[in-house]
Amino acid sequence: MATRREAIRAAAGAGAAALLTASGCTAPGEPPLDDALEEHAAALRARLPLASCAYRVTSVRREGARAAVAAELRYRFEGYGSGPEAAVARRLELRRGGDGGSRWRVRADRPADGAPQQLWDQGEVRTARGARSLVLGVSQPAARLRALAAEADRAVPAVSAAWPLPWARRVVVLVPASLDGMGALLGAAPAAYRGMAAVAAGGAGNPDRLIVNPEAYGELSAYGREVVLTHEAAHVATRADTSPSTPMWLSEGFADWCAYRTSPRPAPDLAPALTRAVRRGDLPAALPADTSFTFGGPPQTLALAYEGAWLACALVADRWGEARLRELYRAAGAGGAESAVREVLGVTVNTLQARWRAYTQSRLSP
């Protein structure tokens, strides 16, 4: 039976040891450098709820008893075995003989240039487990993480009721210490997410996770938190059927429709900016363009875009049925909105737009 170390080495790639030797990082009779990477991965698994964790070496530069290693870290959280592994670029510094022996040890492990941070780069990670969620946070009270797990547990079945198609039906939630930490996890300027309570990240072969802005999220009411987590979880559920050809009014509108689907609140309460526009005779002429959803632009434009998108999806669900709305979403991801609207709803986009304007007027007028 293979030992645990042999299994890790196989997972990390059989070429790693050969690369290290060829690069002059190990000599005959010298403890191999990849043993240090395996021990480092084991230490990560001991600190974090990881089902798998391994480094695949891509390059090595050695200077005496020091080595600089570029590697791809691949990992998967416990309980999320069906999705893709995370694959992130890292740079590690190793030293040999610091304890008087000849073993290599990892002294530093940080993101590669241009790569986003991982949550554990920002400090000690605390964990809370829900029935349908795994919440990890830095500099967050345990009670806050447990509350988030409970909120995420309620969001998941709400999404599954609106999207009863195959998806993980579980979510990973990451909570950094601050807005700056959120930006570092996303590899983006923090200002781009100011005012956003949470965002769904993933796709392109990477696992989905929800990243919370603790500053904005903490200012929300209980209902606001429910809406935000359900909206973002809906993006996770629909990820496989979302593509660049999916218009933003459909992807964001569907997520809001999931969040508001069972809400008893009247439409004017859920769409206050659009209600004001309708009542002053300024009903938008067209469905929201993708550019209207850009954060950092005029807040009024963004509010009108989200509220109009929600009502577009509510129209489809009310007039054609929820199953047809889901079919429209999948068809738009496969071939674009124009053909999807024509094939699934039997009308043109212009006709849908006209009906959306009439529907919006009727839902929001006094």
Side-chain angles (χ1 to χ4, degrees):
M1 180 179 295
T3 66
R4 182 174 182 82
R5 173 167 290 181
E6 288 168 343
I8 296 170
R9 182 172 293 166
L19 174 60
L20 294 168
T21 301
S23 301
C25 276
T26 59
E30 183 180 89
L33 188 149
D34 60 336
D35 282 358
L37 297 180
E38 292 166 9
E39 291 173 1
H40 186 60
L44 275 179
R45 287 196 303 277
R47 291 165 45 205
L48 302 165
L50 299 177
S52 62
C53 175
Y55 290 87
R56 185 179 67 83
V57 176
T58 55
S59 70
V60 178
R61 187 180 71 256
R62 175 178 172 178
E63 295 180 1
R66 298 172 181 262
V69 174
E72 179 186 67
L73 171 61
R74 302 185 70 88
Y75 68 88
R76 179 180 285 124
F77 287 112
E78 290 177 353
Y80 295 81
S82 60
E85 285 186 312
V88 294
R90 307 289 292 183
R91 291 197 178 278
L92 301 98
E93 296 176 8
L94 291 85
R95 295 183 186 179
R96 180 169 58 85
D99 55 358
S102 59
R103 295 174 58 83
W104 288 95
R105 296 189 184 279
V106 174
R107 299 301 185 188
D109 178 1
R110 58 180 62 92
D113 293 343
Q117 287 185 349
Q118 301 303 300
L119 188 64
W120 58 86
D121 292 322
Q122 301 180 6
E124 182 181 354
V125 175
R126 286 182 170 175
T127 302
R129 298 176 186 270
R132 303 177 181 90
S133 61
L134 176 63
V135 181
L136 300 95
V138 169
S139 299
Q140 301 296 329
R144 184 174 298 168
L145 299 182
R146 289 194 298 270
L148 243 171
E151 290 161 352
D153 279 354
R154 291 190 290 271
V156 168
V159 171
S160 294
W163 185 263
L165 301 172
W167 73 287
R169 287 178 166 77
R170 294 173 62 84
V171 290
V172 173
V173 184
L174 306 182
V175 192
S178 64
L179 175 62
D180 287 344
M182 181 185 191
L185 292 177
L186 292 163
Y193 299 96
R194 191 179 305 279
M196 294 180 65
V199 63
N206 289 311
D208 288 294
R209 66 268 190 218
L210 308 186
I211 300 178
V212 170
N213 173 357
E215 298 165 14
Y217 191 83
E219 296 175 358
L220 296 175
S221 65
Y223 179 70
R225 295 193 299 271
E226 173 188 333
V227 167
V228 164
L229 286 183
T230 305
H231 176 107
E232 300 304 336
H235 284 311
V236 173
T238 57
R239 181 80 70 190
D241 291 291
T242 308
S243 77
S245 67
T246 308
M248 293 288 285
W249 69 260
L250 185 53
S251 62
E252 296 299 336
F254 186 87
D256 264 358
W257 175 77
C258 288
Y260 295 142
R261 178 171 168 269
T262 60
S263 175
R265 301 191 178 200
D269 287 357
L270 300 177
L274 192 52
T275 298
R276 291 191 293 271
V278 167
R279 294 180 181 182
R280 66 172 178 262
D282 195 17
L283 177 65
L287 288 165
D290 285 2
T291 54
S292 299
F293 293 88
T294 303
F295 276 83
Q300 179 75 0
T301 299
L302 190 64
L304 291 172
Y306 273 88
E307 294 169 10
W310 162 58
L311 283 167
C313 289
L315 162 64
V316 174
D318 287 352
R319 186 180 181 92
W320 285 276
E322 293 186 1
R324 200 65 66 85
L325 173 59
R326 292 188 289 269
E327 187 180 348
L328 174 67
Y329 193 101
R330 301 181 76 185
E338 287 196 19
S339 61
V341 168
R342 185 174 58 254
E343 294 168 8
V344 176
L345 305 182
V347 299
T348 66
V349 169
N350 285 341
T351 298
L352 176 63
Q353 199 159 254
R355 292 182 180 178
W356 165 74
R357 297 184 80 245
Y359 181 82
T360 298
Q361 184 84 46
S362 68
R363 291 289 302 271
L364 302 182
S365 293

